[in-house]
Each structure stands twice: as C-alpha cells, then as structure tokens.
Amino acid sequence: ELIDGKPRTRVDDFERILSIDNPSLTLQNLSDLPTTKDALKRELDALWKRSPNSAQTDKRGYLWQTGVDLMTAPITPATRSALFKVLADQPGIMSQGQVTDTMGRAGAALSVSTADAFTFRLIIDGETAELLQYEVWEKDKPMLKVTLEQMGWADTPKERPEG
C-alpha cells in the first residue's frame, strides 16, 4: 500500500519560477506586476537586465518570450493589456491587425520573425486581453497552432477552469 488512507493536505508554498530567463518572477508574485504600459515596460527592462541570458539574447527576443510566458500565466487583465501594448511598441514586433483563431474568435495579432524564416504569432482577445492562440510558422507554412479554449484555475485535474 502506497499511502495510509488518511486524507491530508499539504500547503504548496514553494516559489514557482515562471521562466528560466526570469528567476525572480514567480507564480506567487505575478499579481505584483504593474498594470500600466509604462510601468510594466520599466519592470520588463529591469528583468531583462537581471536575466542570466541577457548577454546572449537580444531584447526583442527576450521580451517576446517573456510576453508568451506571461500571457499563459495567471496575470490580471490590466497587466495583460499593458503587456500587449509593450509588445506592440517594440521594434521588430509587427501588428497584424484583426485575425481569427482556429475556433473562429476574432483577436488582435502580434508577430515576430527570426532570421531563419520562422514567425511566431500571438492572437489576443481585444476585450479581455487573454491569449487565444500561439502560432509558429516556417516561411508561409504553419508548423504549430496552440489554441486556448479557456484559461483559469481549477482545484482538481478533472475540473474545468473558471476564469
């Protein structure tokens, strides 16, 4: 028998790092992120300077990957909106206007291309600032499309998230 059968709980208070590039950014402190574009840009600039990979990564690439990490994390709608605006203002990150995801939902798209002909694209809901879809393209051919039907928290693996 693997367990004694007695119900028990465990408080999970470990710091959960959001991404390797941002060891000081944890799931526990995401709610502390700024909710305005200018303040969030300053915070992301400071995180980039502290990143262990900043010497090897250009700022645009860092901001894009951090943006993807944050868009899939439990941040506030105001922080999501500010993040979209920060990304949209970056040189080399292109606005593609309104597009639809694979479920037919309309959203604003941002994309970034690499020197080796890959394009990465985010589709964001214009009203909620939630990530609808993440895509990877090689030249003009889609390689990966991840569509998020719903995001939120659940207490058990079988429960549908709320949010």
Side-chain angles (χ1 to χ4, degrees):
E1 193 170 313
L2 298 175
I3 58 172
D4 61 15
K6 295 178 189 172
R8 59 185 140 171
T9 60
R10 178 176 138 321
V11 175
D12 182 4
D13 59 354
F14 292 108
E15 290 286 310
R16 302 289 182 200
I17 296 173
L18 181 66
S19 70
I20 293 170
D21 274 341
N22 298 293
S24 66
L25 193 57
T26 67
L27 290 176
Q28 288 81 358
N29 66 20
L30 287 175
S31 61
D32 298 335
L33 286 172
T35 57
T36 64
K37 181 181 103 175
D38 292 338
L40 184 60
K41 182 178 182 329
R42 285 191 300 275
E43 179 68 22
L44 292 172
D45 287 345
L47 284 169
W48 181 67
K49 289 174 185 168
R50 291 193 311 260
S51 169
N53 297 314
S54 62
Q56 295 88 11
T57 307
D58 70 331
K59 191 173 180 183
R60 181 190 69 180
Y62 167 83
L63 286 173
W64 181 264
Q65 188 55 54
T66 298
V68 172
D69 292 342
L70 288 171
M71 281 292 184
T72 58
I75 59 176
T76 67
T79 300
R80 285 183 198 284
S81 177
L83 177 59
F84 183 84
K85 293 170 186 172
V86 168
L87 291 174
D89 280 353
Q90 295 305 305
I93 296 179
M94 307 300 295
S95 172
Q96 295 185 319
Q98 289 288 320
V99 299
T100 56
D101 68 5
T102 58
M103 294 178 61
R105 299 173 296 181
L110 293 177
S111 68
V112 65
S113 296
T114 64
D116 52 357
F118 285 96
T119 300
F120 300 88
R121 181 163 87 163
L122 297 173
I123 302 174
I124 310 294
D125 184 295
E127 291 182 26
T128 65
E130 289 183 347
L131 178 63
L132 300 176
Q133 190 162 291
Y134 177 74
E135 303 173 351
V136 180
W137 293 67
E138 184 176 21
K139 298 186 178 154
D140 293 331
K141 185 174 97 176
M143 294 182 59
L144 173 72
K145 290 186 178 185
V146 177
T147 305
L148 299 145
E149 183 177 339
Q150 183 180 18
M151 289 193 332
W153 291 102
D155 292 327
T156 64
K158 292 181 181 180
E159 184 182 342
R160 298 237 349 133
E162 293 180 22

